Amino acid sequence: MIVFTGVEKRYGDYRALIEINAAVGRGEVVIVCGPSGSGKSTLIRTVNRLEEIESGTITVDGVDTHSSELDINRIRSGIGFVFQQFNLFPHLNALQNVALGLLKVKRMHRGEAQERAQALLSRVGLGHKAGAFPGELSGGQQQRVAIARALAQNPPVMLFDEPTSALDPEMVGEVLAVMRELAAEGMTMMCVTHEMGFAR
Amino acid sequence: MLDILHDYWLLLLIGQYPNGPLGGLAMTLILAVAGILLAFPCGIAIALATTSPYAALRTLANGLVYLVRGLPLLMFIFWAYFAIPALLGENAPGVLTMLIALVIYESVYLAEVVRAGIEALPGGQTEAARSLGLTNMQTKRLIILPQALYNMLPSLLSQFISTIKETSLGYVISVNELTFAASQVNSILLTQPFQVYLLLAIIYFLLCFLLTAAVRWLEKRVEQGRRERKVKS
């Protein structure tokens, strides 16, 4: 599903990623772990081209995500990405955060998009928080909204960049539960994490 | 001084209107409001260009910003005053000339305010928007600008206050605004320049003082709004 072939990434003279060859199969959950500064986040960010690469190829579902001929926005809409810092849009409420991609990228009708966004919020256990702004939600709740937002456009692949590292310990569980459920449903997932319990 | 105000308040307020052109404080406010409103979209466009991913566009916009910021407003007034008749082949009214000079000048300063607002946002906002598949322009329009402009409201209003004071430079090309009206009063009275120009100073000061107080209030509101919205971790 995700295939890295000879991927190399440099920051000036520093080689962050050297000759990465790896594959994530369909329905597989791959955990990336290692010491800080080893390039885990860089690696996962190259998949949807938040980071450019110097050489090699990365394909998602057979599509080269670093090809300059393809529409990167279309490719990105098919890859869910969850950030360490959640990065919810603070001026939009939970429902609007989740519905944004459906409205503006998928061009779905408002009613339909809101219905789907509401369903996704319920799925992550936050159906009752649809009208809440990010600032009114706890870290764990924000991250669950962020997962719902990433799931909205029905991506076949989900990427998680240290999804629980910025959370208070008591909120880690609720986020991991949502991720476990996703994995059980057969979602292809790549996850950078320090949460060894979850990794196992 | 009170007797000057008593005798000439109408001239200072609206110029010779309705028997002559509108002027005085009314024209000062019209110039400042129209100048800021017209400069605002230009400022946003320049700010988007200076923060654009395209290097050529950035260079062009930055060049414009440096050029305009490196010249006094009076230069633009002179340039507009002599260039517009040369380009149009006929004389333009002073108000229009002044407005054009103000819009060019203020666009660049507003652009710097908007750019600061854009750059102050965490990079994760853009990354999250792009990760959903939003285009660069959609990201700016739906995610970045709404937050940046809200956060910069106090600075935008401050720029408006500066603009009010800058309209007084229109005096040099005989634009009928507040300073011009005061100088008219002075030429009628002949013997009381200190009183007339003190009165003028008081009018500008009161206007700007009230607006500055409004900026302070707005700053507190925006700060509060940001705290409430701020993403807790």
Side-chain angles (χ1 to χ4, degrees), chain A:
Chain A
M1 195 71 180
I2 311 175
V3 182
F4 299 87
T5 319
V7 172
E8 204 153 316
K9 165 81 191 170
R10 278 189 292 271
Y11 293 107
D13 282 341
Y14 177 67
R15 295 164 85 192
L17 301 175
I18 306 166
E19 271 292 307
I20 306 287
N21 292 292
V24 181
R26 191 176 296 275
E28 222 176 347
V29 177
V30 168
I31 306 293
V32 185
C33 47
S36 295
S38 61
K40 307 180 297 293
S41 285
T42 305
L43 179 70
I44 203 166
R45 286 161 59 87
T46 58
V47 177
N48 75 343
R49 212 162 137 189
L50 285 177
E51 301 284 350
E52 298 289 340
I53 54 176
E54 266 67 45
S55 59
T57 56
I58 301 170
T59 61
V60 174
D61 216 357
V63 178
D64 180 356
T65 61
H66 286 259
S67 157
S68 51
E69 287 138 45
L70 298 174
D71 178 6
I72 183 63
N73 299 317
R74 250 190 84 117
I75 295 172
R76 280 179 176 148
S77 73
I79 304 173
F81 200 104
V82 176
F83 297 84
Q84 180 177 356
Q85 298 294 346
F86 333 134
N87 293 341
L88 289 181
F89 307 127
H91 61 303
L92 303 178
N93 67 28
L95 189 79
Q96 291 167 326
N97 264 280
V98 179
L100 187 70
L102 297 172
L103 289 168
K104 301 297 175 181
V105 181
K106 284 274 186 280
R107 304 264 169 213
M108 210 179 250
H109 289 292
R110 186 162 293 275
E112 205 183 340
Q114 282 176 346
E115 210 170 289
R116 175 156 172 72
Q118 184 63 50
L120 280 159
L121 283 176
S122 303
R123 190 170 155 193
V124 297
L126 292 170
H128 59 297
K129 291 285 189 185
F133 284 87
E136 299 162 346
L137 298 172
S138 73
Q141 291 173 329
Q142 285 187 53
Q143 192 61 302
R144 285 189 280 155
V145 173
I147 293 174
R149 178 176 70 177
L151 284 169
Q153 296 181 66
N154 242 338
V157 178
M158 287 284 284
L159 308 176
F160 297 85
D161 186 5
E162 306 208 29
T164 56
S165 302
L167 295 175
D168 292 336
E170 71 267 26
M171 292 170 183
V172 170
E174 58 189 79
V175 172
L176 290 184
V178 170
M179 290 171 64
R180 252 186 227 111
E181 208 170 293
L182 269 179
E185 286 166 19
M187 175 65 77
T188 307
M189 290 162 64
M190 188 170 161
C191 178
V192 173
T193 187
H194 294 293
E195 232 16 84
M196 292 319 286
F198 174 70
R200 284 188 202 100

Side-chain angles (χ1 to χ4, degrees), chain B residues 6 8 15 28 36 54 67-69 78 84 118 128 147 169 193-194 207 215-216:
Chain B
H6 180 262
Y8 296 103
T28 288
I36 279 286
Y54 307 106
L67 178 72
V68 175
R69 286 184 62 179
F78 283 146
I84 291 167
I118 291 173
Q147 296 184 60
L169 284 172
F194 293 113
L207 184 59
V215 170
R216 287 276 153 76

